[in-house]
Every structure is written in C-alpha cells, then in structure tokens.
Amino acid sequence: MPANDQTQLNVVDVTGLSHYFGRGALKRKVLKDVTFQLKANEIVILTGPSGSGKTTFLTLIGALRAATHGRVCVLGTQLTEVGEPTLVEVRKKVGYIFQQHNLLRFLTAQQNVCMSLELHGYSELEARRRAREFLAEVDLGEHMHKYPDQLSGGQRQRVAIARALAPSPKLVLADEPTAALDRQNGREVVTMMHDLARRKGSSIVIVTHDNRILDICDRTVHMEDGAITDITVACR
C-alpha cells in the first residue's frame, strides 16, 4: 500500500516529532523524535511518569498548539508550522476530556452538552435532542437539569464524556480522566467512555497513571523522557 494511502487510514499520523520549551540557554527538548499512529476505532492508552511528555504530546495531536519539528497529521490535516485558523478547524473535530471536567457551573448538565453541540453547528432543537440522548447513554437521563455542583465527581465526569462525544468526533483525547475519582467511579467512567466511543466510531487516546484501566485499550504506549520506549498490544 502506498504511504499516502496508509496515512489516510490513520486518524493520527506522527513521524519524527520533537518539541521544545523555552528559548536560548533555557531551551529544553520535551519530545524526542516521536513516531506514532492511531487507526480508526482504536483505543490507545499512553502511560509514563510525570514529566515524560505525555500531556505535551496530547496537546500537539489535539491541535491545542502547533508542532514545529517533525510531521503531525490529524484527521487528514497537517499540523506542523500552521496558523491558528487551521488549529481551530481541527479542534472542532476533536472531543476533549480532562481530569478537571471543566463544566460551566452556571449551566445544567444538558446545557453544558448543548453548548458544545451548538459550537459545532447544531441547531438549538437538535442540540437539546442529542444532549438528552447522550446524557441518557451515560446514565444521567434523570439528572440532566441539575447543575454541576449538584452532581458527584463521577457524574460530572460523565457529563464531560457526553459533551465530548455528542458532536460525534472521530478523535477523543482524555487526559487523566480518572485521577480525581475513586476506584469504582473511575472504572465506570472509563467503561462508559470506551463503550460509547466504540458505538459511535471514535478513536481514543487516554493519558493515565491508572493501571486499573489498562485492559480497555487496544494498545498501551509507554513514554520516558520525551520518547516512546515501549508498545504493548492487548491480548483479546
């Protein structure tokens, strides 16, 4: 298969990616010649110690900052040395789930999900319908009119999952989604994210220190000192 055809099959295609923070004498290399591919409908967990470059890598493939060294192609768009308009267009196609759910406290669960959908071009009526559907998918159908402060930590993270997946993104990026949750809630949240993404056809990259959820992925990629040092394919 020609290389360009293979690239089209990958949701994320990264080759020789390096990244630096700081300038002059303070310049520091935080990613070192990283090569990584994510296929359609694949779930990959990214592990490694704090400071190994995991979150920086996630921000680059999530178009939250532009890459400057190497090749980064996400959803068919080249992201190396591009301007903010290109990054913004790719961000619209990506779902983000963070350790801190980042819900707006003055909006209900349904309104938080609706806001994301309307930003993606859905009409107000369709946004309300899809918000109800996705909140029901994460077992929050009876809580959609509650505000974040009226929900538990696990419930708030479920709202964040519904918000990320309701626009039907082809790529979902999750940064430590279980870090603030206890064992049971963490497992439930990740299982819901896994099942919903599988049904909706999304690919996922999850950054985590939580060894209890490694079994939900297709591959585990380990990073040390800004480089990928090990890749483990899940046994099914």
Side-chain angles (χ1 to χ4, degrees), residues 169-211:
K170 291 300 181 184
L171 175 62
V172 176
L173 303 177
D175 193 3
E176 299 286 2
T178 66
L181 304 177
D182 61 29
R183 180 186 181 91
Q184 180 177 345
N185 278 305
R187 183 70 197 192
E188 287 177 357
V189 160
V190 171
T191 299
M192 286 181 175
M193 180 169 63
H194 167 277
D195 293 346
L196 192 53
R198 286 289 200 213
R199 292 200 303 274
K200 305 301 180 181
S202 298
S203 301
I204 309 179
V205 179
I206 303 173
V207 167
T208 187
H209 287 94
D210 190 348
N211 293 329

Side-chain angles (χ1 to χ4, degrees), residues 85-174:
T86 299
L87 296 176
V88 169
E89 285 305 308
V90 173
R91 283 177 211 151
K92 293 178 182 178
K93 303 174 185 178
V94 179
Y96 302 94
I97 302 169
F98 301 102
Q99 175 180 343
Q100 300 300 326
H101 43 76
N102 296 335
L103 301 179
L104 295 178
R105 297 176 64 182
F106 55 88
L107 297 180
T108 65
Q110 183 181 24
Q111 289 168 338
N112 267 280
V113 179
C114 281
M115 185 185 68
S116 173
L117 287 161
E118 289 173 13
L119 289 173
H120 283 81
Y122 288 82
S123 69
E124 182 179 350
L125 184 62
E126 179 65 7
R128 287 202 302 269
R129 186 194 68 78
R130 286 183 70 86
R132 288 195 300 270
E133 173 191 334
F134 276 80
L135 287 168
E137 291 267 17
V138 295
D139 294 339
L140 289 178
E142 297 180 356
H143 302 281
M144 67 176 64
H145 299 303
K146 292 183 178 180
Y147 292 90
D149 287 347
Q150 297 173 306
L151 300 172
S152 69
Q155 289 172 330
R156 289 193 291 269
Q157 197 63 298
R158 292 185 201 178
V159 177
I161 291 170
R163 180 182 60 185
L165 288 168
S168 298
K170 291 300 181 184
L171 175 62
V172 176
L173 303 177

